[in-house]
């Protein structure tokens, strides 16, 4: 039989402890100017085809508005890929003037989308996170937990997947003005 204090020391396990959300959240930023000449980030996951379709449409809209789209595919969040994606997101966030991170269509995609939008905000870049209606509450909770309760959230209908190209084209056109408004862009 071993020493009681040694046995207790071996049994101690360090469990992660979550920080409570800040009482006063971090500031949220807006462009307060035109899109023209700005680099606008569009970040998406590798799953599904609907959000990439909307991102492609928004690239066209942004170019029409005189902006420069910068698209990031945030693919592979497991294992060793997580560190690479975090680095890619930080580099992308430094290149852009503002951006959207999406699409929150499940718990993990919503969490990753919010986390990546917060990376933009921490660099004082206006950020919007795009989520489906079913995951709005999760996105708001996650943003608050990360100290950004005023993170701007663009809520899309649920589900987005399984829609026709015409429906997605219409959705992209319908929600693009709201995206631009949330960024704080002016004509």
């Amino acid at each position: 039989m071993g020493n009681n204090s040694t046995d207790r020391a071996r049994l101690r396990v360090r469990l992660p402890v979550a920080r409570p959300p800040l009482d006063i959240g971090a500031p949220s930023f807006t462009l307060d100017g035109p899109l023209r000449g700005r680099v606008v980030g569009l970040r998406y996951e590798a799953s599904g085809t609907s959000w990439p379709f909307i991102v492609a449409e928004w690239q066209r809209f942004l170019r029409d508005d005189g902006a420069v789209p910068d698209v990031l595919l945030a693919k592979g969040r497991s294992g060793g890929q997580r560190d690479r994606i975090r680095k890619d997101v930080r580099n992308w966030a430094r290149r852009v003037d503002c951006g959207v991170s999406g699409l929150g269509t499940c718990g993990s995609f919503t969490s990753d989308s919010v986390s990546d939008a917060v990376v933009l905000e921490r660099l004082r870049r206006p950020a919007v996170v795009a989520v489906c209606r079913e995951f709005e509450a999760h996105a708001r909770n996650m943003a608050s937990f990360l100290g950004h309760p005023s993170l701007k959230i663009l809520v899309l209908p649920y589900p987005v997947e399984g829609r026709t190209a015409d429906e997605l084209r219409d959705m992209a056109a319908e929600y693009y003005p709201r995206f631009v408004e949330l960024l704080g862009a002016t004509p």
Side-chain angles (χ1 to χ4, degrees), residues 29 42 50 64 86 99 105 107 134 161:
F29 300 95
L42 301 158
S50 296
D64 290 347
R86 284 183 179 152
T105 58
E134 295 291 312
E161 282 304 316

Side-chain angles (χ1 to χ4, degrees), residues 101-112:
S101 178
L103 176 68
T105 58
C106 69
S108 61
F109 288 160
T110 301
S111 296
D112 289 340

Side-chain angles (χ1 to χ4, degrees), residues 15-70:
L15 298 174
V17 177
R19 291 177 298 164
L22 301 173
D23 290 333
I24 299 173
S28 184
F29 300 95
T30 55
L31 284 177
D32 300 322
L35 281 176
R36 182 164 297 289
R38 308 276 185 141
V39 178
V40 180
L42 301 158
R43 173 241 175 253
Y44 70 99
E45 302 275 346
S47 71
T49 58
S50 296
W51 180 243
F53 187 97
I54 292 170
V55 165
E57 289 292 300
W58 284 8
Q59 286 179 72
R60 189 171 50 84
F61 298 162
L62 287 165
R63 286 188 194 100
D64 290 347
D65 286 341
V68 178
D70 185 331

